[in-house]
Amino acid sequence: MRKISVAVPGPWWTRLLYLHEESLTPGVRVLVPLGRSSRVGLVVESDGEDEDVSDAKLKPVSKVLDITPPLPLDLRKTLDWFAETWFIGAGTASKTLLPSPFFDTCELPAVSDCGANNPPVPVKYVYEQCDAERFARYSDMAANARGGKIFLFPEPAAAKRFWNLLSDETRNSGALWPASNPSKQWKLWQAAREGALNLIVGSQAAAFVPMRNLALIVMDDESSGGWRTQRYPYFHHRPLVAARSEYAGAQLVLGGRIPSSKAYMQAGDESAPCVSAGKRLIFVDLHDSSSFDVDAVRDSVMISRPLVRETKEALSDGNWAMWILDRKGYAGEIYCSECGLPVRCPRCGGVMRWEGRENRLACLECSATLPVPDKCPSCGGPFLEGVRPGLEALASRASRLFGRVREDIILLQNDGERVPSCKVLMKEHQKGGIIIGTRKILAMTDELLVRTMGWIDSDSEARQTEYDAKARAFSMIWESLWRGANADIRRIVVQSRRPEKGWQAGLSRGFARFWKNELKERKEWELPPFVPMLKVTMPHGTGGELSELLDRDGISYWESENSADEIWLRTKKFALVRKSLSPFFHIRNVRRGFPSVRLFLD
């Protein structure tokens, strides 16, 4: 009997051992017993050794499902790299990147291994401000490149727009990856694996479709935050796509309106086209702006005369204006005016936003909600007030400023409410209007004719605690300059306390100016992309155990202000970190729970 090491989908790193009468090829699926049920896993190794486990303690493999590995070599290697580099384990890696039916006992016809043996090729960069020009270059690649091709976009709508630009002949050899239809996704996944498709256009999930003779992967808007997952396992698609292209010997093309930090480091000024926003970009000093009081809120809403002027011009022409403030609710926080302490979340101690429409407080960390209290939970004082007015307060002030079009002021907080389609908006508001919301409303410029874009408090966009806050703020304002139809006539009003200073200087002089200064600062502070950062969230009460192991291995770290179970590391010593974390990811910890790790590479 042979010992077979199997990676079974689960949050543990443990590779489980089973018995089989003969060796099995790594990568084939097997049905194995686990607890009181059976699970499908991938063979990692045959003849696995473990001196602590005798054959008498091992259960046999219930069924071998494949004759040969059902995944191409490049995808198998990508799964291994993903599991090792992003601290998630082989089981979680395969469950994340592969469709759910893959882990059923369904039969997958044998296919020849389509992993390429071509040497790695240099990455190409396509940075154009105009979507139409960039998409035209991609279209040429789709028509002329040989072999399997994957075109990736951070938003399904963008993938669909590109798909519609392709010729009928090009589309006939491929498919548009459905954003939310698991049944259709599975059929296309199988068709691509068997060689019936050589072109896939889609969003994030399309990145890991098995392709015969994969020759080209194009990743558009690669600096977009849409490529980073918001749920565990936390990862960024770009490094995974880069790893896959390297294992397949495929050409990787990175594109967008602006490069990420790592792409700019690699491409340099060659990635920076000489463009200028000219007079379309209007900086306004908030110190010179009008301030408007908000009921029960300590701070004022700042709205400048240039923003009002440009908004009125847009409305008079029957166009749209957008006001962006990345702060939902009525106020960012609520404080006691007597003791000066904020009202904190009773569950996790996080910051709580005041949502006026719902008359409640919502935690920004764990999403817990509670009614607005009548008195301070800390001192019992009766006077509570908000700080930092939010979107609801801004919309209320806009209604007063533009009373004649009050019904055309639309508040979109992207907070679970149904967002109306652009077609519906254009039909119901034929003379345009003002859309007030978070940065997510930028996507609506693809269909709406937005004449004015106002960044209400651009400084707050860059005041977040994350190390890349300035880069994200710059990227979003830069996007607002160029995204959508007729963007060349759009005017961007940037309200700031330090207009055109610091990180904002690059908005008028180009992103090369921004990245040179930003990367210089990150290098001095040993931040990504120079030194990776990790955020480890431990099961409740186990942060101290990890700290002891990190001390033992000589790895520097610091604990979060919010919790001793949230630990940050800044290191390149991934092997040592993995050694320290490994005991917490053993399958015996199922009842206690497992850590989650977030890795920041750039």
Side-chain angles (χ1 to χ4, degrees):
M1 298 291 284
R2 305 288 189 178
K3 290 181 180 179
I4 309 296
S5 179
V6 180
V8 177
W12 51 79
W13 291 358
T14 312
R15 293 176 177 178
L16 307 180
L17 286 176
Y18 295 91
L19 293 175
H20 194 60
E21 57 268 17
E22 58 185 7
S23 297
L24 295 174
T25 305
V28 301
R29 297 175 304 153
V30 290
L31 181 67
V32 294
L34 182 63
R36 297 180 180 180
S37 63
S38 295
R39 304 277 287 276
V40 172
L42 289 172
V43 172
V44 178
E45 182 183 10
S46 283
D47 301 320
E49 296 296 331
D50 192 326
E51 296 178 359
D52 297 330
V53 180
S54 65
D55 288 4
K57 295 182 179 180
L58 299 180
K59 297 179 179 179
V61 170
S62 301
K63 185 178 181 181
V64 179
L65 301 177
D66 306 305
I67 299 173
T68 59
L71 297 175
L73 183 60
D74 68 278
L75 203 48
R76 300 206 304 272
K77 289 185 175 181
T78 302
L79 285 170
D80 292 341
W81 182 87
F82 182 29
E84 191 74 17
T85 305
W86 292 79
F87 302 95
I88 58 172
T92 299
S94 59
K95 183 179 180 181
T96 302
L97 302 192
L98 300 175
S100 297
F102 181 85
F103 295 100
D104 294 338
T105 55
C106 61
E107 181 179 349
L108 289 175
V111 295
S112 60
D113 196 334
C114 46
N117 296 314
N118 300 327
V121 294
V123 179
K124 286 186 178 180
Y125 303 94
V126 178
Y127 294 101
E128 297 278 358
Q129 310 314 309
C130 176
D131 290 355
E133 293 180 11
R134 204 168 62 252
F135 283 17
R137 293 181 64 176
Y138 297 158
S139 182
D140 289 341
M141 297 176 191
N144 298 321
R146 296 183 178 181
K149 296 159 284 195
I150 300 176
F151 289 78
L152 302 170
F153 300 84
E155 299 167 359
K160 188 174 181 179
R161 288 202 313 275
F162 175 70
W163 173 260
N164 291 334
L165 290 174
L166 299 176
S167 66
D168 291 341
E169 182 181 359
T170 302
R171 287 202 298 261
N172 287 339
S173 64
L176 175 65
W177 189 259
S180 57
N181 188 328
S183 177
K184 188 173 181 181
Q185 288 176 354
W186 176 238
K187 290 179 181 178
L188 292 178
W189 192 92
Q190 294 181 86
R193 189 186 77 93
E194 295 167 17
L197 301 172
N198 72 354
L199 168 68
I200 291 290
V201 176
S203 51
Q204 291 84 347
F208 310 108
V209 177
M211 296 288 286
R212 292 282 192 93
N213 303 316
L214 182 60
L216 173 68
I217 303 180
V218 175
M219 190 175 192
D220 186 53
D221 204 6
E222 54 89 12
S223 65
S224 168
W227 293 112
R228 182 177 290 280
T229 60
Q230 301 302 311
R231 295 185 299 175
Y232 185 80
Y234 304 108
F235 66 95
H236 198 291
H237 283 76
R238 184 179 55 249
L240 269 71
V241 169
R244 185 183 182 188
S245 65
E246 182 175 346
Y247 292 134
Q251 174 72 68
L252 175 63
V253 178
L254 299 178
R257 302 177 194 89
I258 179 174
S260 60
S261 62
K262 202 161 193 177
Y264 180 76
M265 282 180 60
Q266 295 170 342
D269 288 343
E270 293 181 7
S271 69
C274 185
V275 294
S276 172
K279 295 181 179 180
R280 295 195 300 116
L281 186 60
I282 303 170
F283 287 98
V284 180
D285 193 330
L286 276 177
H287 295 101
D288 300 329
S289 301
S290 300
S291 61
F292 299 93
D293 292 336
V294 179
D295 292 342
V297 176
R298 181 189 309 172
D299 306 312
S300 303
V301 170
M302 308 298 289
I303 302 176
S304 64
R305 291 181 180 178
L307 178 57
V308 173
R309 181 192 68 230
E310 296 298 330
T311 300
K312 285 183 176 178
E313 266 193 41
L315 296 175
S316 65
D317 293 339
N319 295 323
W320 292 84
M322 285 185 172
W323 290 8
I324 296 179
L325 178 64
D326 217 27
R327 191 158 54 238
K328 301 175 185 178
Y330 189 70
E333 283 187 82
I334 189 167
Y335 276 74
C336 174
S337 58
E338 293 193 8
C339 68
L341 294 176
V343 178
R344 293 287 185 176
C345 176
R347 180 191 297 175
C348 71
V351 173
M352 302 208 78
R353 176 177 65 232
W354 180 7
E355 297 181 343
R357 291 190 304 185
E358 304 292 340
N359 192 32
R360 68 182 185 184
L361 302 182
C363 178
L364 303 184
E365 298 293 330
C366 69
S367 300
T369 61
L370 72 156
V372 176
D374 296 327
K375 56 185 180 180
C376 174
S378 299
C379 72
F383 301 110
L384 297 172
E385 62 180 352
V387 295
R388 301 195 310 278
L391 288 171
E392 293 178 25
L394 179 62
S396 176
R397 175 50 56 180
S399 294
R400 299 180 190 179
L401 284 173
F402 302 93
R404 64 181 182 85
V405 288
R406 186 173 302 177
E407 69 278 6
D408 293 328
I409 295 176
I410 302 157
L411 175 61
L412 298 176
Q413 299 198 78
N414 302 103
D415 210 16
E417 77 268 36
R418 184 176 179 273
V419 178
S421 71
C422 292
K423 290 182 180 179
V424 170
L425 286 177
M426 288 186 286
K427 182 178 179 180
E428 295 181 351
H429 306 271
Q430 297 183 14
K431 294 183 179 180
I434 306 173
I435 300 176
I436 296 176
T438 66
R439 58 181 65 183
K440 290 186 178 181
I441 65 175
L442 273 178
M444 301 175 77
T445 59
D446 293 334
E447 298 181 61
L448 294 179
L449 183 56
V450 179
R451 176 73 178 272
T452 298
M453 183 78 68
W455 291 88
I456 302 302
D457 186 359
S458 62
D459 304 317
S460 70
E461 304 291 329
R463 269 201 303 265
Q464 307 299 320
T465 56
E466 289 85 355
Y467 71 92
D468 62 343
K470 289 185 293 185
R472 286 188 284 137
F474 180 92
S475 178
M476 297 305 295
I477 299 178
W478 185 261
E479 179 181 347
S480 70
L481 277 163
W482 310 105
R483 180 168 181 168
N486 298 310
D488 56 333
I489 66 170
R490 183 182 306 146
R491 289 179 176 269
I492 312 297
V493 180
V494 180
Q495 298 187 160
S496 170
R497 291 167 183 80
R498 298 183 67 246
E500 211 170 0
K501 299 291 195 311
W503 64 271
Q504 297 177 36
L507 291 170
S508 55
R509 303 177 192 179
F511 61 70
R513 165 71 179 267
F514 168 79
W515 273 129
K516 286 177 181 178
N517 293 336
E518 176 74 1
L519 288 172
K520 180 181 178 182
E521 184 176 306
R522 291 197 197 180
K523 188 173 184 179
E524 290 174 355
W525 288 94
E526 295 186 327
L527 294 171
F530 300 98
V531 179
M533 288 180 64
L534 296 91
K535 176 185 176 182
V536 183
T537 304
M538 299 293 294
H540 181 68
T542 61
E545 297 177 35
L546 176 60
S547 299
E548 292 179 4
L549 294 177
L550 294 173
D551 288 333
R552 179 201 66 188
D553 294 330
I555 300 174
S556 59
Y557 63 91
W558 66 96
E559 294 178 357
S560 167
E561 295 179 358
N562 297 328
S563 171
D565 293 325
E566 191 174 276
I567 296 174
W568 286 86
L569 302 92
R570 190 169 56 204
T571 181
K572 296 181 180 179
K573 300 176 181 178
F574 280 20
L576 279 177
V577 174
R578 193 171 186 85
K579 177 183 175 184
S580 298
L581 285 171
S582 184
F584 301 98
F585 280 97
H586 196 280
I587 194 171
R588 63 172 171 261
N589 293 326
V590 167
R591 293 184 180 275
R592 185 169 73 168
F594 300 90
S596 67
V597 182
R598 300 189 74 160
L599 173 63
F600 302 90
L601 295 177
D602 65 0

